[in-house]
């Protein structure tokens, strides 16, 4: 029995809003989840259909393609052209092989559609991934960095055209210079990039020797990137269009920067909050006073209250790291470490002993006053 279409699977009509699709999915997914109906094969099958329907209909691009070609054609395309699949849309019972385009009637054009819709296709855009090391302050406050990397760059001898100087391309006979091919099968009409000329509408006999007609070669690229304040280790920044050069004037890839932040000797970070240890002498902990505290924007004076205990934590609001893509800042926490001297003078020892003596006599004095 043929499976129901994706709208029926979610109990919706064509034209349903994104909100209706999401609501229907969560309701049905909860009802048919395998954990709810353990051992029920029908429930598992139903749950898979619901998930498949939602994955397509929630995506505007996939949904548009689904609405255009219909359920059966879309299913066959997904089975043949999705990652790990076979020949793409070329498998309608061999019905497209008689058009003179070879085994794959849609050539690179339909592969481009599949790449856009399913994430498959023969060749993706030349994205480049680079690890970028930053200091603690560079990550916290933002900075500008120059990134160097190896990727595809435009071929200079042919200026990216793939043609030797002076060579004129000829009009493609397959698409007659349009760069697109229209194929009709039953009730469906498909338009795709011409596989013979790759969509250029032209054909050439000779290619540039430097790039072998690709229009790109391996080379070094240098890109200046503005790093926003608040990034941390593990963050991936996408710089659109700054990856590798696309072949024959195709779309360039993106530059993906994987951020790695070096530890700092003074500051420790947890999210947007930072921590700093401040040592003070025990006399200052007893008597109070003030101390210079480093912050990301410079030193500030922090008041120490009399009787401050070791490990006391004071908070400085808004002195932390800027929250990424936000106006807000975290806080800075100052951890007080009371230091005990290891070497003291005779005079210092005498004063401390007097203090200790007075401290130990206080309970006796208090007891005597209470008995009187």
């Amino acid at each position: 029995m043929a499976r129901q279409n994706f709208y029926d699977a979610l109990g919706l009509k064509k034209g349903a809003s994104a909100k209706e699709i999401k609501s229907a999915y969560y309701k049905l997914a909860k009802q048919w989840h395998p954990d709810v109906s353990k051992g029920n094969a029908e429930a598992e099958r139903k749950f898979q259909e619901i998930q498949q329907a939602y994955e397509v209909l929630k995506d505007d691009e996939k949904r548009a393609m689904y609405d255009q070609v219909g359920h059966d054609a879309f299913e066959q395309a997904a089975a043949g052209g999705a990652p790990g699949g076979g020949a793409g849309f070329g498998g309608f019972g061999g019905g497209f092989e008689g058009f003179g385009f070879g085994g794959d009637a849609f050539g690179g054009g339909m592969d481009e559609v599949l790449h856009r819709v399913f994430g498959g296709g023969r060749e993706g855009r030349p994205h480049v991934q680079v690890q970028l090391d930053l200091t603690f302050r560079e990550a916290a406050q933002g900075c500008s960095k120059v990134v160097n990397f190896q990727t595809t760059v435009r071929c200079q001898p042919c200026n990216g055209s793939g043609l030797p100087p002076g060579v004129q391309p000829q009009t493609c006979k397959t698409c007659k210079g349009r760069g697109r091919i229209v194929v009709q099968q039953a009730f469906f009409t498909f338009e795709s990039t011409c596989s013979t000329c790759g969509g250029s509408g032209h054909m050439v006999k000779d290619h540039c020797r430097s790039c072998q007609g690709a229009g790109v070669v391996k080379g070094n690229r240098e890109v200046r990137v503005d790093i926003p304040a608040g990034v941390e280790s593990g963050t991936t920044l996408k710089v659109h269009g700054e990856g590798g050069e696309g072949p024959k004037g195709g779309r360039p890839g993106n530059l993906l920067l994987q951020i790695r932040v070096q530890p700092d000797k003074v500051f420790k970070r947890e999210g947007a909050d930072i921590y700093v240890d401040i040592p003070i002498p025990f006399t200052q902990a007893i008597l109070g006073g003030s101390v210079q505290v480093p912050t990301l924007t410079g030193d500030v004076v922090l008041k120490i209250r009399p009787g401050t205990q070791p490990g006391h934590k004071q908070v400085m609001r808004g002195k932390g790291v800027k929250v990424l893509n936000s106006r807000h800042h975290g806080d800075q926490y100052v951890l007080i470490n009371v230091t005990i001297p290891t070497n003291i003078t005779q005079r210092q020892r005498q004063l401390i002993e007097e203090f200790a003596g007075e401290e130990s006599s206080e309970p006796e004095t208090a007891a005597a006053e209470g008995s009187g």
Side-chain angles (χ1 to χ4, degrees):
M1 182 176 65
R3 289 169 33 167
Q4 57 187 338
N5 67 50
F6 292 154
Y7 291 100
D8 291 340
L10 297 179
L12 299 169
K13 293 183 179 181
K14 190 175 180 179
S17 66
K19 184 177 181 181
E20 290 172 333
I21 292 172
K22 185 176 182 180
S23 177
Y25 167 71
Y26 282 120
K27 180 181 178 181
L28 292 171
K30 183 177 181 181
Q31 177 184 349
W32 295 100
H33 197 282
D35 290 344
V36 178
S37 307
K38 293 183 178 180
N40 188 334
E42 178 63 18
E44 292 183 4
R45 184 191 64 79
K46 183 71 174 177
F47 182 74
Q48 290 177 359
E49 288 187 5
I50 293 168
Q51 277 198 310
Q52 183 187 14
Y54 181 65
E55 286 301 315
V56 173
L57 297 184
K58 74 175 183 178
D59 186 292
D60 291 340
E61 199 168 16
K62 292 180 183 179
R63 184 180 177 185
M65 175 65 74
Y66 179 80
D67 291 342
Q68 178 182 349
V69 304
H71 181 77
D72 292 338
F74 189 91
E75 284 277 71
Q76 291 189 49
F89 267 82
F92 284 88
F96 285 12
E97 295 185 8
F99 288 92
F101 306 134
D104 183 356
F106 294 93
M110 186 52 69
D111 264 350
E112 291 171 5
V113 174
L114 291 173
H115 178 77
R116 188 169 64 248
V117 178
F118 301 112
R122 292 194 184 97
E123 183 179 4
R125 293 165 61 192
H127 302 311
V128 179
Q129 184 170 292
V130 177
Q131 180 176 288
L132 181 61
D133 290 329
L134 301 176
T135 66
F136 183 89
R137 288 182 179 272
E138 286 175 335
Q141 298 176 319
C143 61
S144 179
K145 304 287 285 187
V146 175
V147 184
N148 290 281
F149 52 93
Q150 287 284 323
T151 185
T152 53
V153 297
R154 181 177 297 179
C155 177
Q156 294 300 320
C158 67
N159 196 29
S161 68
L163 304 175
V167 173
Q168 295 296 325
Q170 299 176 353
T171 301
C172 176
K173 295 180 180 179
T174 302
C175 65
K176 295 180 174 55
R178 293 190 296 268
R180 309 288 293 176
I181 296 175
V182 176
V183 178
Q184 186 165 356
Q185 175 75 0
F187 300 104
F188 303 116
T189 299
F190 299 98
E191 181 177 337
S192 64
T193 302
C194 176
S195 60
T196 304
C197 65
S200 66
H202 299 92
M203 294 293 295
V204 293
K205 295 181 179 180
D206 298 321
H207 297 287
C208 172
R209 293 184 178 181
S210 297
C211 63
Q212 303 302 315
V216 293
V217 295
K218 288 290 184 181
N220 185 69
R221 187 168 187 193
E222 183 176 282
V223 177
R224 179 171 290 277
V225 181
D226 291 327
I227 307 299
V231 297
E232 53 187 321
S233 289
T235 302
T236 299
L237 299 178
K238 180 187 291 186
V239 187
H240 292 278
E242 294 294 350
E245 189 79 21
K248 292 186 179 179
R251 289 192 302 165
N254 300 324
L255 175 60
L256 306 175
L257 297 176
Q258 287 192 322
I259 302 300
R260 186 174 67 176
V261 182
Q262 303 299 323
D264 191 78
K265 295 181 179 179
V266 176
F267 300 104
K268 294 180 177 60
R269 177 178 175 180
E270 291 185 9
D273 297 329
I274 58 176
Y275 295 78
V276 60
D277 294 331
I278 296 297
I280 63 172
F282 78 100
T283 52
Q284 191 176 41
I286 296 171
L287 302 175
S290 59
V291 64
Q292 292 273 4
V293 175
T295 72
L296 293 175
T297 55
D299 290 352
V300 298
V301 176
L302 183 67
K303 185 177 181 180
I304 302 297
R305 297 179 181 178
T308 295
Q309 300 298 307
H312 174 71
K313 182 167 59 178
Q314 289 188 224
V315 60
M316 304 171 68
R317 300 294 182 191
K319 289 293 185 180
V321 178
K322 185 176 182 290
V323 179
L324 186 63
N325 300 323
S326 170
R327 298 179 180 178
H328 303 289
H329 287 73
D331 300 323
Q332 176 170 325
Y333 292 90
V334 181
L335 306 179
I336 304 299
N337 293 329
V338 179
T339 60
I340 307 297
T342 56
N343 296 306
I344 57 176
T345 65
Q346 187 63 33
R347 172 60 178 163
Q348 289 171 331
R349 183 179 184 86
Q350 180 182 350
L351 292 173
I352 293 173
E353 287 176 345
E354 290 179 6
F355 175 81
E358 293 181 7
E359 189 177 36
S360 61
S361 67
E362 287 179 0
E364 298 178 2
T365 304
E369 292 176 351
S371 63

